[in-house]
Amino acid sequence: MTLGILTHSFNESLLLQKWVDHHSKIADSGIVIDHGTTDDSIKDLRLPDNWEVIKSNMVDFQCHRLDQEVLEIEQYAKAVYKQDWTVTLCTTEFIFTPDFKNTIEQVHQQVPDARALGMRSVCLVDPVENNSMNLLDHSWGYVDYENDAKGNRVEGCRRWRFIHNTDNPVYEVGRHGVGVPYVQVPELLLLYCQLAPYPLCRDRKLAVQTRIPQWDKDHKYGFQHLITEEGLTELHSSQSALSFDLNTFPLYKQYAEWWKANGGL
């Protein structure tokens, strides 16, 4: 099988090169969609073979147009790079499952009718604010649950991403859901740098909100990007208090050992 991976990027000097370096070990081809970057992250980007940068036609991050543009570029990538499976991630999301392509093949053999496979995200927080860029850093914590209406912890995943083998997965807004037959596979793990590294990630989040149009704000789309600097500080404090030691998460610990033995991240 062949695997293609995409990301859309705006001023991602914090994570973009690390994201490309990591995923070039996993995917056969890749595309970075540049949304008018003004820092040096695109100019200085080192790309491996079968990777390219495509300039977005958008002037903002309007959610529906963004998802449509991602779909169109995915279709281009499937045609040009002959991708069997395709996934688009944010630059804050890192595939962490070892031997990823073989894992996808094995899962799909068990559920051959699935057109998409759901990967769960572990939301990372940097409670000690050491700004480490090491995804194997034992000092990070994770928040891998939701709170119910009464504030009780409910173990589970906070968000999903989907890898698919179809020309149109019929994305829901934000691409956290699809409209084709799918299976959620908890063993397919993403590390989501939600509040890590901190406080470096704070500036990234504040920059993103400058590109969200008023219509999206009025309709509560992209609300997670509209938080103020003061609100981010409060969120980091509350999530740090709720977070668990990342090394106590069995699947992370198992996968981290594999990565350490196979060249790290």
Side-chain angles (χ1 to χ4, degrees):
M1 70 165 276
T2 56
L3 169 66
I5 190 165
L6 297 82
T7 190
H8 42 87
S9 177
F10 170 67
N11 287 6
E12 293 284 5
S13 58
L14 176 63
L15 292 172
L16 183 58
Q17 188 65 63
K18 187 175 187 66
W19 189 95
V20 169
D21 291 344
H22 173 64
H23 289 103
S24 64
K25 303 172 187 175
I26 298 171
D28 300 289
S29 58
I31 291 176
V32 176
I33 307 170
D34 175 26
H35 283 271
T37 291
T38 59
D39 65 12
D40 292 333
S41 56
I42 294 293
K43 178 175 68 72
D44 296 340
L45 186 62
R46 301 181 302 277
L47 292 176
D49 294 339
N50 293 326
W51 281 66
E52 63 175 301
V53 174
I54 293 180
K55 189 169 180 59
S56 170
N57 292 319
M58 298 179 59
V59 297
D60 56 27
F61 289 149
Q62 204 290 312
C63 57
H64 297 94
R65 294 197 305 272
L66 178 62
D67 290 345
Q68 180 60 34
E69 183 177 66
V70 164
L71 176 62
E72 292 170 359
I73 296 177
E74 283 186 349
Q75 292 168 344
Y76 159 84
K78 280 183 176 290
V80 171
Y81 296 106
K82 311 301 181 187
Q83 297 171 356
D84 297 317
W85 289 85
T86 305
V87 60
T88 298
L89 303 177
C90 293
T91 316
T92 51
E93 296 169 326
F94 290 77
I95 292 173
F96 201 59
T97 301
D99 203 10
F100 185 71
K101 287 172 59 176
N102 284 335
T103 303
I104 293 297
E105 286 190 298
Q106 292 168 12
V107 171
H108 195 234
Q109 288 173 2
Q110 299 170 18
V111 285
D113 294 333
R115 301 276 67 86
L117 304 176
M119 304 180 289
R120 67 167 168 165
S121 301
V122 175
C123 300
L124 301 180
V125 61
D126 181 6
V128 297
E129 299 188 29
N130 67 358
N131 274 333
S132 170
M133 287 299 299
N134 181 3
L135 294 179
L136 301 176
D137 190 333
H138 66 275
S139 69
W140 281 8
Y142 75 98
V143 186
D144 190 31
Y145 57 82
E146 290 280 18
N147 289 337
D148 64 17
K150 297 181 180 179
N152 299 315
R153 291 179 179 177
V154 180
E155 298 298 322
C157 175
R158 183 166 286 195
R159 46 188 265 158
W160 294 85
R161 282 289 183 211
F162 289 86
I163 181 171
H164 64 86
N165 61 2
T166 177
D167 286 337
N168 187 355
V170 193
Y171 284 127
E172 296 177 3
V173 175
R175 306 188 319 282
H176 295 298
V178 293
V180 296
Y182 70 88
V183 175
Q184 292 175 325
V185 188
E187 293 77 19
L188 298 178
L189 196 66
L190 293 177
L191 298 185
Y192 167 43
C193 296
Q194 182 191 31
L195 290 167
Y198 198 88
L200 283 175
C201 70
R202 179 181 58 204
D203 296 335
R204 176 197 175 274
K205 287 181 176 293
L206 293 173
V208 167
Q209 66 180 250
T210 66
R211 304 298 292 272
I212 298 176
Q214 190 60 47
W215 188 91
D216 281 23
K217 296 177 182 179
D218 293 342
H219 291 80
K220 309 302 181 185
Y221 288 119
F223 64 90
Q224 71 274 20
H225 297 298
L226 301 180
I227 191 169
T228 64
E229 183 172 352
E230 180 181 18
L232 277 172
T233 300
E234 294 175 357
L235 179 65
H236 174 259
S237 177
S238 64
Q239 294 297 280
S240 294
L242 291 172
S243 67
F244 302 93
D245 182 347
L246 194 53
N247 280 310
T248 64
F249 183 29
L251 202 55
Y252 171 87
K253 193 170 183 178
Q254 174 188 334
Y255 290 176
E257 291 302 319
W258 187 92
W259 282 107
K260 289 174 184 176
N262 289 272
L265 291 178

